[in-house]
Amino acid sequence: MILDASDLKARLHAPEIVVAPGVYDALSASLAAEAGFDTVYLSGASIAYTQLGRPDIGLVSVSEVNDVMSHIRERTELSVVVDCDTGFGNAMNVMRSVRMLERAGANAIQLEDQTYPKRCGHLRGKTLVPEGEMVGKLKAALDARASDTTLIIGRTDAVAVEGTARAIERAHAYREAGVDMLFIEGIRSDDDIASIMAEFRGRIPIMANMVEGGDTPLQNARALQEQGFSLVIFPGALVRAFTHMASQFFATLRRDGTTDAFRERMLDFGQLNEVLGTRKMLELGEKYDAR
């Protein structure tokens, strides 16, 4: 089932957790839809990894994120949660970013309280803007959206910088500003989760982030649901899987001078075109051919 924005908002308040794999282009989003997911996470980190071949250190622009969002919306009807980093500047930049991404089809837009340029939430050396500045940016985002079914997610990276107690204080301020969901990044332990849920469970949806090799201990969706999380993202997992597979592919091709040894792990030409919907598109085009 495909969700619209209002459905996503309702789902986030339901008992069952929403699982959103990270995607970075229209093909990965369409594959997620084919696998049965109804919500995906457009990861800024994964865009940096795949489009730039660089780490998540604030190199991606709002225009690049917006272009990917537009391509995904053209290809699928999935609910898309978009990583908008810091909003790419001050409150005025936030307003422009929100308007762009909402027009492109974003269902939820995530904003964080790092300084700009930011860096991945699981890298060291993060710095934060003052709490009051972030509250202003979130209010700007809420004012800029055309529909209140476009969700605004307030993220704090304060756990790694100022500690869990201070992260909770910032999260309270962001909730009071009116955000639809909270994302406390870089949770380190079950004690952190217990402290966070004691403050927010049942009051506002809380988002979890599973990063293989990151700071937060990995848990499955069911365990996270039992702890009170409403949404879990796996933002860079696909890129890590793809990079591992691609390295093996290139090594095989370099060694053998042929792809024969890799064929069982590949789609052939016809299978790929089936995934892409080539036949249906060609048939559609024939309807408009000159007679």
Side-chain angles (χ1 to χ4, degrees):
M1 180 181 66
I2 302 301
L3 302 180
D4 63 24
S6 59
D7 288 331
L8 176 59
K9 189 172 186 177
R11 280 281 307 281
L12 293 174
H13 288 272
E16 185 176 354
I17 195 169
V18 176
V19 179
V23 300
Y24 49 83
D25 60 10
L27 177 59
S28 57
S30 67
L31 292 172
E34 184 67 23
F37 290 98
D38 49 42
T39 304
V40 294
Y41 180 77
L42 177 52
S43 163
S46 290
I47 293 174
Y49 301 155
T50 59
Q51 303 301 308
L52 307 182
R54 295 296 185 184
D56 180 20
I57 54 172
L59 301 176
V60 174
S61 70
V62 64
S63 296
E64 289 167 314
V65 177
N66 193 66
D67 285 347
V68 177
M69 180 64 244
S70 297
H71 293 317
I72 290 173
R73 182 54 68 223
E74 181 183 3
R75 182 66 174 86
T76 80
E77 295 179 352
L78 290 165
S79 291
V80 184
V81 179
V82 181
D83 178 3
C84 193
D85 286 349
T86 65
F88 303 97
N90 63 17
M92 299 302 292
N93 299 106
V94 166
M95 295 183 82
R96 179 170 183 260
S97 299
V98 167
R99 288 169 180 151
M100 289 174 65
L101 293 169
E102 185 178 36
R103 285 195 297 268
N107 301 98
I109 299 169
Q110 171 203 303
L111 296 156
E112 66 195 58
D113 58 7
Q114 287 193 54
T115 54
Y116 183 74
K118 56 77 55 93
R119 62 180 61 194
C120 172
H122 295 257
L123 289 176
R124 299 295 178 264
K126 296 183 290 184
T127 55
L128 308 179
V129 299
E131 179 185 302
E133 180 179 339
M134 184 60 182
V135 167
K137 291 170 73 170
L138 292 172
K139 289 181 177 179
L142 293 161
D143 287 344
R145 63 182 178 180
S147 170
D148 62 7
T149 62
T150 301
L151 309 182
I152 301 299
I153 302 170
R155 165 176 156 174
T156 181
D157 285 71
V159 170
V161 181
E162 301 175 341
T164 302
R166 184 69 184 108
I168 290 172
E169 290 177 3
R170 280 180 172 256
H172 272 297
Y174 304 164
R175 176 176 175 248
E176 290 170 6
V179 299
D180 300 287
M181 173 177 276
L182 291 172
F183 176 13
I184 300 173
E185 172 63 304
I187 296 172
R188 305 297 178 87
S189 67
D190 289 342
D191 288 341
D192 282 349
I193 295 174
S195 298
I196 290 163
M197 290 307 169
E199 297 291 329
F200 299 111
R201 186 169 187 170
R203 298 178 178 89
I204 187 171
I206 303 293
M207 178 172 162
N209 181 20
M210 295 290 101
V211 176
E212 298 79 6
D215 291 329
T216 303
L218 294 180
Q219 300 186 59
N220 63 37
R222 182 176 295 277
L224 292 166
Q225 176 180 306
E226 290 173 353
Q227 292 174 89
F229 289 97
S230 300
L231 169 71
V232 56
I233 60 171
F234 295 82
L238 180 61
V239 179
R240 282 184 273 280
F242 165 77
T243 303
H244 178 69
M245 179 279 298
S247 296
Q248 293 180 328
F249 169 80
F250 285 125
T252 299
L253 180 57
R254 176 67 177 167
R255 181 193 69 211
D256 299 344
T258 176
T259 61
D260 284 350
F262 214 84
R263 288 289 298 277
E264 290 187 359
R265 288 176 281 173
M266 297 172 60
L267 300 180
D268 66 19
F269 182 75
Q271 291 169 324
L272 178 59
N273 277 286
E274 183 65 25
V275 170
L276 298 175
T278 303
R279 179 180 56 81
K280 291 180 180 179
M281 291 195 73
L282 292 175
E283 290 174 353
L284 177 62
E286 289 173 358
K287 290 174 56 178
Y288 306 103
D289 287 346
R291 302 294 182 184

